[in-house]
Amino acid sequence: MSRRILALLLVAALALSAVGLAQTKTVDYPGLGMVAGNPGGTLTLALGDTPPRFFYYGEISAISQALTMQMFDTLIDLDLETYELVPGLARDWSVSDDGTVITLHLREGVAWHDGTPFTADDVVFTFEQIVMNPEARAGDAASFIFTVDGEQRRVEFAAPDANTVVITLPAPSAAFLLFLRSFYIMPKHKLLPFSVEGGAQPADINDAWPTDVDPSEVVGTGAFRLSEYVSGQVVRLVKNWNYWRADEAGTPLPYLDGLTYLIVPGTDAQVAQFLAGNLDQLNISGGQFPDFKSRELAGAGFSVVAARALFGSPPHLAFNFDASDPELAEVFSDHEFRQAMEYAVDRMRVIDDVYNGLAEIPGTPTAPVNGAFYEDTTDLMRMYDLEAAAAALDALGLVDTNGNGVRNVSATRELEFTLTYGNDSATWTDIATIIQNDFAEIGVEVNLQGIQSSQLLGTGLSGDYEAILVALGNLPDPELRKPIWQPGGSLYYWHRSTQPAEQGERPNFDAMEDWELRIYEIFETGTTNMDAESRAENYREWQRLNAEYVPVIMIAKPGNVAAVYDHVGNYVYNLGVIPGYNPVPHYFRK
Amino acid sequence: MLVYLIRRILVMIPTLLLVSVICFAVIQLQPGSFADRYLEDPRFTAETVERLNAQLGLDKTPVEQYLIWLRGIVTRLDFGFSFFANRPVSGIIGERLVWTVVIAGITLGFAWLVAVPLGIFVALRKNGFTDAVASFVGYIGLAVPDFLVALLLIALVLAYGGTNVGGLFSAQYLGAPWSWGKFLDFLNHLWIPVLAIGTGGIAQIMRQMRANLLDVLGADYVRTAKAKGLHPRRVTYRHAVRTAINPLVSMAGLQLPELINGTIIASIVLNLPTIGPLLYTSLLNKDQYVAMTLLLFASLLLMVGNLLADLALAWVDPRIRYG
């Protein structure tokens, strides 16, 4: 070989490695037991339903989210071990001193699946034309409009050059960077025709990428790209050979050549497919654990993995402060009554019997694994003690006056109410029955009313219930769940009279009790307070207030449970129930 | 005959209208709305609910919604769109129609092929041992719901280490072009739904065939034929069986809508890409136009099935004439 060719090759190799260095990011999680994997092979996972479409912002759907997570990237990621913010498509970022200007530097050399370079224009387009489009069904326009001094102002996005994005906020927002973690960046060159900028009507954005689209149209920057969809049966993704992540040894990620998603609705069908070996991994519930564990011990070739969960929804019991029966409403609004009832909720039995031990005492309501915000309020909680419950009810004057075994609210009104729960899941049914039995022991009569689980929150918001079992999801920062936990918020369903008369107006402060006013204030300051230390301390106070005044009775925080075959390497399952929250690019076939 | 046909078809129109009104009313009476399951999502604000309802036309009164939907069907055969998939209903149903027809066709064919000869066989051995056994098995087949049979078959396959526990193909053949291997894989998956869904039908048809044939075998003309010295086999198969099979023809017409409605739970358990599970999820999700179109389609099938059965009856039975 001549010297010239050798020199040329050397230059080419250097140039290639320079590109590689500029774009790649190495992440390993030795703390989670991850090792270097060997490339190749595919894995088969389950999808619980057909995807409504391949465009993430066109429909709120866990199914399209699961696929989007593999095919698209966010600017910022969450570290799987520490839950801290780490670079994604943004290489690094800076926040101005007053907290209103965020400058993001994008990773260079990243390309869309079709080879088109990824630039700051795509980021601006994604936010301004899709996420902030109020007609996008799964967009989030409202969160990008801040009310400052009674005036509504939009968040501004700008792209001064191809690799820089500048975000200008109307007011400081403490959780904004974390908030950015949930937005997948979309390709402008493919979606422009569906946007207002491209001449379409605002609602036309929802028409992008229906399920009968040509798979090559669906381009992301993610570890996998769409290859095939067979209606109602299978979604196939194949490896993105130009993905920007690598492991510590420099081996490009993902390790897998492809992901196959079998569409299997129905838990029984999924279990059968998993046991037959047609699925490599399956999310299961604590209730299914004993069956899977005994098969594992019998040498079925898979293991059951359990982890404490950051995301996921802990169930709670809520009493309607504004129940239509005025006598009941008065009792339910009294925090001493709710404290008394808390004594009668057997959390340990729910954890042991319903979840087979794969759950923990919940926060009020922050997830115990959330180190940044969790306040351990276990000492403040009233743990199961029926005698204490009965004594507390006696002290409130709620005694059985007519000798029928049920306590009386008044001479004509028994302490009897309906508990609404989801009857399409064994978990809900079991919890409801345990509560019904224990409450009966202390002379409180509960009538169970089963409805579809998907209707629970809707029923809560309609106010048409007396007591209800609902589960609301935990997120890393309390700010992200403000509408649920701030009195007067749109999802503060147990005390609806605190909500504003008209949407967008001030909440009804007259209806709030003192502790609710304090919680309202904590959430108001929490939004703009940029000092992490004092902000976290405020949210800890909120959790103590919740434990003390019991707006709702938190029951248990279920863990994540999954079964996975032994040939899957680097399987980590600690963030949440959606497989995309797991480091799929790191998975490999042994 | 033609006049009769036209009259029957014309009668279908008001019936379908009535069915659609009732279905629409029932769907509207269901508690909750399409947006309910999104409520907890952090992205879902009160504003989004309004926009969504406006986009889907849910801000109009139910009567208006119904009339708009009806106008679409009458003027341009547009059955509305799926809220969930944001695509025309016809396309979504079309994707699943082929497999629905294939599976239902094979299942019905299997049930008839087994049940009719079996019915004749046991009728000719009335009250004998085989009759007792077949009746016993038949009653069990009638009593056990198809989804339970499906679950049992799946458990059986799992116990013997099989992998064909749902769906119609193994993962590697999904979307692949047809090949010998794919065909074998298909057959390997197909027998479970055919057996699970077909068993109930077999028992029913067999019992019917047996009863019919016994009736006919006792008839005067059969005795006359036998008295005239005709060979018993000829009497049975040429004369008795042909008459006895007539009521079954009308039964077949009634089985057409079963393609959609009858096998929903079994199809979900077996993870079949058919219309049944689609109807189930669309009803749960309040995806109203998908549910409406499917219910309308099922009633149309029932009426068409009845009409076809009547026509077939006229064709096979010389005693029946329409005019």
Side-chain angles (χ1 to χ4, degrees):
Chain A
M1 200 183 287
S2 81
R3 253 189 205 171
R4 236 175 91 184
I5 293 177
L6 202 67
L8 271 175
L9 276 176
L10 205 65
V11 169
L14 274 174
L16 272 176
S17 64
V19 169
L21 282 176
Q23 70 178 45
T24 52
K25 170 192 171 188
T26 60
V27 229
D28 280 344
Y29 294 100
L32 295 174
M34 278 199 190
V35 296
N38 37 302
T42 64
L43 284 190
T44 308
L45 305 168
L47 276 188
D49 203 349
T50 52
R53 67 200 79 186
F54 294 113
F55 180 55
Y56 175 69
Y57 297 103
E59 183 80 31
I60 294 178
S61 148
I63 304 301
S64 66
Q65 185 175 12
L67 296 171
T68 299
M69 283 172 159
Q70 308 309 333
M71 300 193 286
F72 296 85
D73 289 310
T74 53
L75 293 170
I76 295 173
D77 281 329
L78 211 51
D79 185 282
L80 291 173
E81 217 173 337
T82 63
Y83 304 140
E84 280 168 4
L85 297 177
V86 290
L89 282 175
R91 175 163 49 83
D92 57 52
W93 54 84
S94 59
V95 181
S96 67
D97 290 339
D98 66 349
T100 59
V101 180
I102 301 169
T103 308
L104 297 146
H105 299 107
L106 303 182
R107 202 171 291 284
E108 289 170 34
V110 176
W112 295 98
H113 293 153
D114 62 356
T116 312
F118 157 76
T119 70
D121 275 348
D122 294 307
V123 178
V124 175
F125 176 81
T126 299
F127 285 99
E128 296 218 315
Q129 296 294 314
I130 302 173
V131 178
M132 292 165 71
N133 175 351
E135 296 286 344
R137 288 200 208 165
D140 193 1
S143 298
F144 289 83
I145 296 171
F146 289 26
T147 306
V148 184
D149 304 329
E151 194 189 334
Q152 298 213 318
R153 288 172 58 196
R154 277 166 58 104
V155 175
E156 306 277 347
F157 286 81
D161 65 63
N163 297 308
T164 311
V165 174
V166 178
I167 307 173
T168 313
L169 307 176
S173 169
F176 197 81
L177 281 171
L178 179 66
F179 180 56
L180 285 182
R181 186 200 68 87
S182 47
F183 296 101
Y184 299 89
I185 304 303
M186 296 286 144
K188 182 178 181 179
H189 66 286
K190 288 289 183 190
L191 294 173
L192 186 64
F194 300 97
S195 68
V196 174
E197 189 185 337
Q201 294 299 311
D204 292 346
I205 194 73
N206 300 309
D207 297 339
W209 296 344
T211 45
D212 51 358
V213 71
D214 177 356
S216 65
E217 283 295 300
V218 183
V219 299
T221 53
F224 297 91
R225 66 182 168 80
L226 185 64
S227 124
E228 186 185 26
Y229 172 54
V230 182
S231 177
Q233 301 186 68
V234 72
V235 180
R236 275 182 226 280
L237 308 183
V238 292
K239 176 175 179 167
N240 171 12
W241 291 87
N242 297 315
Y243 193 47
W244 49 270
R245 266 181 235 252
D247 69 6
E248 229 143 51
T251 312
L253 293 175
Y255 293 126
L256 293 170
D257 286 342
L259 289 176
T260 302
Y261 284 94
L262 282 188
I263 297 170
V264 190
T267 323
D268 290 330
Q270 289 183 354
V271 170
Q273 292 284 10
F274 177 79
L275 294 179
N278 296 337
L279 295 172
D280 292 306
Q281 181 270 344
L282 187 67
N283 294 351
I284 61 174
S285 68
Q288 293 167 293
F289 176 76
D291 181 35
F292 277 80
K293 194 68 190 176
S294 63
R295 285 173 193 269
E296 175 193 340
L297 295 175
F302 59 76
S303 3
V304 183
V305 184
R308 301 172 76 201
L310 175 61
F311 294 87
S313 307
H316 66 248
L317 167 65
F319 292 100
N320 191 349
F321 289 28
D322 307 297
S324 56
D325 180 323
E327 284 178 288
L328 270 189
E330 200 191 323
V331 172
F332 289 168
S333 313
D334 184 349
H335 67 263
E336 288 181 34
F337 169 77
R338 298 193 302 274
Q339 289 170 345
M341 298 317 285
E342 190 185 5
Y343 277 122
V345 175
D346 194 348
R347 295 187 172 97
M348 290 319 292
R349 185 167 166 212
V350 169
I351 291 171
D352 289 339
D353 291 1
V354 181
Y355 293 104
N356 287 301
L358 298 172
E360 58 189 322
I361 297 287
T364 50
T366 307
V369 74
N370 187 345
F373 291 103
Y374 173 64
E375 168 81 350
D376 186 351
T377 53
T378 317
D379 292 343
L380 294 170
M381 287 183 190
R382 289 147 205 90
M383 288 302 169
Y384 186 60
D385 183 348
L386 286 182
E387 277 172 29
L393 289 176
D394 288 344
L396 283 169
L398 296 166
V399 288
D400 181 13
T401 51
N402 53 5
N404 67 346
V406 180
R407 290 169 190 272
N408 285 67
V409 178
S410 65
T412 52
R413 183 71 170 86
E414 305 280 328
L415 184 46
E416 175 187 357
F417 53 83
T418 305
L419 173 63
T420 306
Y421 72 103
N423 61 358
D424 49 358
S425 114
T427 309
W428 288 118
T429 311
D430 291 350
I431 296 177
T433 315
I434 289 174
I435 288 176
Q436 184 187 35
N437 289 336
D438 282 330
F439 282 17
E441 294 273 312
I442 53 166
V444 177
E445 188 161 332
V446 174
N447 304 308
L448 295 184
Q449 183 194 36
I451 61 170
Q452 251 182 66
S453 298
S454 61
Q455 306 285 333
L456 284 172
L457 187 54
T459 305
L461 289 169
S462 73
D464 186 16
Y465 72 100
E466 288 171 343
I468 196 168
L469 284 173
V470 174
L472 297 169
N474 284 134
L475 287 179
D477 191 304
E479 161 76 9
L480 303 179
R481 301 264 71 176
K482 189 173 166 183
I484 298 176
W485 299 107
Q486 186 183 39
S490 58
L491 298 179
Y492 195 76
Y493 72 88
W494 48 89
H495 196 181
R496 284 168 71 240
S497 53
T498 60
Q499 291 174 342
E502 285 284 325
Q503 186 208 328
E505 285 180 10
R506 286 163 64 81
N508 182 8
F509 293 114
D510 295 340
M512 289 187 202
E513 295 182 36
D514 290 345
W515 57 271
E516 284 181 309
L517 286 168
R518 175 62 192 142
I519 292 177
Y520 179 86
E521 210 177 284
I522 290 174
F523 273 94
E524 279 310 280
T525 49
T527 303
T528 49
N529 184 358
M530 297 300 285
D531 177 49
E533 204 63 19
S534 68
R535 193 166 170 268
E537 186 35 55
N538 279 344
Y539 283 124
R540 293 209 167 93
E541 183 193 343
W542 156 62
Q543 293 167 67
R544 288 194 298 272
L545 283 170
N546 272 356
E548 178 61 29
Y549 292 97
V550 206
V552 299
I553 301 172
M554 300 298 301
I555 299 172
K557 170 73 179 172
N560 291 326
V561 194
V564 60
Y565 275 96
D566 297 339
H567 58 251
V568 180
N570 282 347
Y571 186 77
V572 174
Y573 186 38
N574 64 341
L575 272 181
V577 287
I578 300 169
Y581 283 133
N582 307 321
V584 178
H586 292 264
Y587 289 2
F588 67 96
R589 253 194 122 90
K590 288 179 190 163
Chain B
M1 187 74 178
L2 189 68
V3 177
Y4 171 79
L5 193 68
I6 292 171
R7 205 170 58 212
R8 283 286 295 267
I9 291 173
L10 284 180
V11 169
M12 280 183 195
I13 295 172
T15 317
L16 280 178
L17 265 178
L18 195 67
V19 168
S20 70
V21 170
I22 294 171
C23 291
F24 195 78
V26 171
I27 290 174
Q28 294 299 320
L29 287 175
Q30 246 187 307
S33 81
F34 176 71
D36 274 359
R37 63 213 162 97
Y38 302 138
L39 288 171
E40 204 229 336
D41 194 284
R43 286 172 284 173
F44 208 71
T45 57
E47 198 189 20
T48 320
V49 181
E50 264 171 47
R51 301 273 184 178
L52 189 66
N53 285 341
Q55 276 178 22
L56 302 177
L58 292 175
D59 52 346
K60 298 187 173 65
T61 63
V63 177
E64 276 179 292
Q65 290 176 37
Y66 175 75
L67 290 177
I68 291 171
W69 180 69
L70 200 64
R71 194 177 64 197
I73 298 177
V74 175
T75 54
R76 53 202 144 89
L77 224 65
D78 172 5
F79 289 88
F81 64 105
S82 159
F83 295 169
F84 185 60
N86 205 28
R87 283 176 54 201
V89 169
S90 48
I92 291 174
I93 295 177
E95 280 174 358
R96 288 170 174 255
L97 197 60
V98 177
W99 282 121
T100 309
V101 171
V102 167
I103 292 173
I106 295 176
T107 311
L108 281 183
F110 164 76
W112 280 72
L113 276 180
V114 174
V116 172
L118 208 60
I120 298 172
F121 183 78
V122 294
L124 296 178
R125 284 160 188 75
K126 190 175 94 169
N127 300 332
F129 178 70
T130 24
D131 188 19
V133 171
S135 298
F136 180 71
V137 174
Y139 279 127
I140 291 181
L142 269 178
V144 180
D146 52 4
F147 68 86
L148 193 62
V149 179
L151 284 174
L152 290 174
L153 287 176
I154 287 177
L156 201 71
V157 169
L158 274 180
Y160 284 92
T163 59
N164 46 331
V165 290
L168 290 175
F169 297 100
S170 302
Q172 74 264 31
Y173 289 116
L174 282 170
W178 279 99
S179 64
W180 187 236
K182 181 170 178 173
F183 183 66
L184 288 181
D185 184 65
F186 174 59
L187 290 185
N188 194 26
H189 283 80
L190 188 67
W191 67 269
I192 296 181
V194 167
L195 218 57
I197 301 170
T199 8
I202 292 179
Q204 198 188 355
I205 299 165
M206 187 197 80
R207 301 286 311 159
Q208 187 85 33
M209 185 67 209
R210 176 182 176 277
N212 292 347
L213 189 56
L214 285 178
D215 267 359
V216 176
L217 284 176
D220 289 345
Y221 73 93
V222 172
R223 200 178 31 187
T224 311
K226 278 183 182 160
K228 278 169 76 183
L230 225 55
H231 193 280
R233 182 172 292 174
R234 202 175 155 86
V235 174
T236 308
Y237 290 100
R238 273 297 287 272
H239 301 281
V241 169
R242 267 187 71 179
T243 321
I245 216 161
N246 283 353
L248 286 184
V249 175
S250 36
M251 212 169 99
L254 293 176
Q255 280 189 329
L256 266 188
E258 292 286 304
L259 307 188
I260 298 183
N261 303 336
T263 58
I264 293 181
I265 304 178
S267 307
I268 292 172
V269 170
L270 289 169
N271 192 25
L272 300 177
T274 56
I275 283 177
L278 184 65
L279 175 60
Y280 176 75
T281 47
S282 61
L283 279 172
L284 280 189
N285 291 340
K286 292 209 84 178
D287 199 348
Q288 59 186 27
Y289 299 128
V290 178
M292 289 284 294
T293 308
L294 284 175
L295 291 172
L296 210 59
F297 188 56
S299 20
L300 182 72
L301 280 182
L302 179 68
M303 285 183 271
V304 169
N306 257 333
L307 180 60
L308 288 179
D310 288 350
L311 293 179
L313 218 50
W315 181 59
V316 294
D317 190 341
R319 290 170 300 180
I320 298 172
R321 283 287 169 268
Y322 303 116

